[in-house]
Amino acid sequence: MLAAVLLFNGAPVNAQNYPTAPVRLVVTTGAGGAPDVTARIVAEGLSKHWGQQVFVTNHPGAAGSIGMKVAGTSPPDGYTLLFALSSSFVALPEIAKDYPYDLVRDFVAIGFVCEQPMAIAVPTTLGINTLGELIEYTKKRPGEVNVAVLSRGGIPHLTSEWIKLAAGLEWTSINYPGTPAGLSDVMGGRVQVIMDGLPSLAGAINGGQLKLLAVGSQKRLPNRPDTPTISETLPGIPRALGFFALMGPPGTPEPIAKKVSEDLRTVLADPAMKKRFEDIASYINPMSPAELKQYIETEQTLWKPVIERISTFKAK
């Protein structure tokens, strides 16, 4: 890996021949989670397309700012790319008063990777089969229902709080450092509900331990047509999605960003790749750099009122 780093640090910037050396993909979370798994699929596809190794490096911590600093201070030559998470775009800049990065302002938009709808699930032993039933169950037990969510301020947490506001519920979001810990408490009956990206819960859902009540996609998913969307029960919540995107360090030349964007689109258009993503409950939505920037700004606008209404999120 050290040899690869030396290679790409000295690689010339030439969009026509790019890449001529290994490319690093920086992930702001630890190994094994949904962002890491998704990033490695993208890295594998780009490696085959380019004939150059694309390798993932994980830099977790400080709400993603450690990884963003690694990517943001790298040479803007296309040989270091940031695999950015939706929470870094949407929630953290609003929640953390002194958050050091604005991805739209400080990084170069390259391309959209995929959406991962939020999933609302309960243990099958609870006997609840729809989001409407869960809402009624919670209203009859004010203050007694707990919801496991992944990381304070992430999209799962925001989704839980948005449903709470939209339905007029009294439930408590409990933040976990990882999905396994939340699942353990849900399976053990200590927590009644779990909210996370669908890929993280798919195994327990498919295995029959969890009942999937609703998903945060705008339309019903093609491979789960019987599962309603959140908006079918709560029209005030049009969507609740996590997403991943490729970004370049500040100053990344436009020809390089354009080539990476076009090559990413080519890789994701492969039917086998699309199927592979759908198998992990991720849905490809190709975008140009300009479209990606507009999409991010739209998501920021969507979530900002929710964040502002939750006073506990305000930085002290």
Side-chain angles (χ1 to χ4, degrees), residues 249-274:
T252 299
E254 182 181 354
I256 294 291
K258 182 179 179 182
K259 186 173 191 305
V260 176
S261 181
E262 291 172 350
D263 291 345
L264 175 66
R265 183 184 291 258
T266 298
V267 167
L268 296 179
D270 183 284
M273 180 66 77
K274 183 179 179 181

Side-chain angles (χ1 to χ4, degrees), residues 52-102:
Q52 291 287 349
Q53 182 190 7
V54 179
F55 61 93
V56 171
T57 61
N58 300 89
H59 302 273
S65 62
I66 292 175
M68 282 187 276
K69 182 177 181 180
V70 170
T73 56
S74 297
D77 54 11
Y79 288 88
T80 295
L81 302 173
L82 175 67
F83 194 79
L85 284 62
S86 50
S87 58
S88 300
F89 290 110
V90 174
L92 294 174
E94 293 290 335
I95 295 168
K97 183 178 178 181
D98 300 318
Y99 197 67
Y101 295 101
D102 182 316

Side-chain angles (χ1 to χ4, degrees), residues 16-315:
Q16 184 176 358
N17 298 323
Y18 172 91
T20 59
V23 176
R24 173 173 58 167
L25 194 55
V26 175
V27 177
T28 59
T29 62
D36 177 69
V37 170
T38 310
R40 291 178 189 277
I41 294 174
V42 172
E44 181 183 329
L46 287 173
S47 295
K48 291 179 180 178
H49 183 72
W50 284 336
Q52 291 287 349
Q53 182 190 7
V54 179
F55 61 93
V56 171
T57 61
N58 300 89
H59 302 273
S65 62
I66 292 175
M68 282 187 276
K69 182 177 181 180
V70 170
T73 56
S74 297
D77 54 11
Y79 288 88
T80 295
L81 302 173
L82 175 67
F83 194 79
L85 284 62
S86 50
S87 58
S88 300
F89 290 110
V90 174
L92 294 174
E94 293 290 335
I95 295 168
K97 183 178 178 181
D98 300 318
Y99 197 67
Y101 295 101
D102 182 316
L103 281 173
V104 177
R105 179 194 67 210
D106 298 329
F107 286 78
V108 175
I110 291 177
F112 192 87
V113 176
C114 66
E115 298 172 342
Q116 293 186 339
M118 292 298 105
I120 306 167
V122 297
T124 52
T125 53
L126 198 62
I128 291 175
N129 295 300
T130 68
L131 177 56
E133 289 179 11
L134 176 62
I135 290 171
E136 290 304 312
Y137 176 90
T138 305
K139 286 183 175 180
K140 292 176 181 178
R141 298 164 178 81
E144 297 180 16
V145 174
N146 296 316
V147 184
V149 297
L150 176 63
S151 74
R152 183 173 182 80
I155 300 299
H157 187 188
L158 293 183
T159 302
S160 173
E161 296 296 329
W162 199 357
I163 291 173
K164 177 180 177 180
L165 290 169
L169 304 178
E170 293 181 40
W171 69 22
T172 302
S173 298
I174 300 179
N175 302 281
Y176 289 84
T179 302
L183 277 172
S184 176
D185 276 0
V186 171
M187 300 301 187
R190 294 177 289 276
V191 175
Q192 295 86 0
V193 187
I194 188 164
M195 217 162 292
D196 205 342
L198 182 54
S200 300
L201 304 182
I205 293 167
N206 296 339
Q209 291 88 15
L210 288 181
K211 171 65 178 179
L212 178 61
L213 305 183
V215 291
S217 51
Q218 289 182 284
K219 299 179 180 179
R220 293 198 180 197
L221 300 175
N223 54 342
R224 291 185 184 270
D226 296 331
T227 301
T229 65
I230 295 173
S231 63
E232 289 178 49
T233 303
L234 299 170
I237 303 179
R239 63 185 180 275
L241 302 163
F243 63 89
F244 303 120
L246 284 190
M247 308 291 284
T252 299
E254 182 181 354
I256 294 291
K258 182 179 179 182
K259 186 173 191 305
V260 176
S261 181
E262 291 172 350
D263 291 345
L264 175 66
R265 183 184 291 258
T266 298
V267 167
L268 296 179
D270 183 284
M273 180 66 77
K274 183 179 179 181
K275 174 66 165 54
R276 191 171 177 185
F277 269 82
E278 287 185 356
D279 286 345
I280 60 167
S282 302
Y283 302 89
I284 294 167
N285 185 5
M287 296 181 193
S288 67
E291 290 169 336
L292 170 59
K293 185 175 180 181
Q294 184 177 15
Y295 178 90
I296 293 166
E297 292 170 346
T298 300
E299 286 296 296
Q300 289 173 331
T301 300
L302 176 72
W303 288 104
K304 189 171 183 178
V306 181
I307 297 168
E308 289 178 341
R309 289 179 64 182
I310 304 169
S311 59
T312 55
F313 277 1
K314 298 298 183 182

